[in-house]
Amino acid sequence: MAMEIERKFLVCNDDWREQVLSETHLMQGYLASTAALTVRVRLDGGQGRLTIKGATRGISRSEYEYPIPAEDAQAMLSELAETAIIDKIRHRVRCGEHVWEVDRFAGDNAGLVLAEIELGTENESFERPAWLGAEVSDDPRYYNANLARHPFKDW
């Protein structure tokens, strides 16, 4: 079984920009989203992806991701997404032995900048960059599926 172990943080300054390895524009929508299951479609730099995630338990959850044609992903976003579309730029940023994903949100979530790190185990240690703010891994407001329903601009 595929497992995602992820921690999420607010970003407190722009110092991360000096360490960017790459960036890509992401558009994603949710075809289904409950406490037990999330089905997401994403356009990621011209590639479509379908992702199925199980319930979050701490900072872990099951995750299955499959490439799909970009045209199919676009059609699903237009026709099947049950929520607003999340629009963001993802920056890959190296810090120590890990590569962080720093997401700058646009649209109704503009102004929100989050950093995520994927780990091999829940207790894996990692270097904490100076630009990292408060941890929000346990705050459901920052889950992308919830940002699609209750955008940052409305907080």
Side-chain angles (χ1 to χ4, degrees):
M1 172 168 61
M3 185 65 63
E4 173 186 62
I5 302 171
E6 178 180 83
R7 292 180 67 179
K8 188 177 293 201
F9 299 82
L10 296 174
V11 174
C12 61
N13 63 52
D14 285 340
D15 292 349
W16 58 270
R17 292 179 181 271
E18 300 167 9
Q19 302 160 321
V20 171
L21 302 171
S22 65
E23 67 179 50
T24 187
H25 182 224
L26 302 177
M27 302 286 288
Q28 64 189 46
Y30 294 86
L31 310 183
S33 181
T34 67
L37 173 74
T38 302
V39 181
R40 176 188 74 204
V41 64
R42 174 185 280 171
L43 270 173
D44 176 352
Q47 171 65 52
R49 297 194 182 283
L50 183 66
T51 306
I52 303 160
K53 297 184 180 194
T56 300
R57 292 179 180 84
I59 60 170
S60 301
R61 62 183 165 179
S62 58
E63 177 184 57
Y64 303 91
E65 186 169 74
Y66 307 97
I68 61 173
E71 300 79 20
D72 289 358
Q74 183 59 58
M76 289 180 198
L77 286 171
S78 298
E79 300 169 20
L80 303 177
E82 66 177 16
T83 63
I85 304 303
I86 295 286
D87 184 359
K88 61 187 177 180
I89 303 294
R90 170 161 289 168
H91 306 268
R92 293 174 42 83
V93 179
R94 177 166 296 285
C95 181
E97 296 183 16
H98 292 89
V99 175
W100 291 77
E101 294 175 339
V102 177
D103 290 340
R104 283 187 310 115
F105 289 80
D108 287 345
N109 290 298
L112 180 61
V113 183
L114 295 174
E116 299 176 351
I117 185 170
E118 290 205 19
L119 303 169
T121 65
E122 286 197 9
N123 59 359
E124 180 179 344
S125 63
F126 59 91
E127 184 176 332
R128 196 179 161 100
W131 43 262
L132 212 57
E135 183 165 6
V136 294
S137 299
D138 294 331
D139 189 337
R141 293 179 303 163
Y142 294 99
Y143 298 171
N144 280 272
N146 288 338
L147 288 170
R149 280 192 209 91
H150 307 289
F152 186 64
K153 74 172 181 73
D154 294 338
W155 294 10

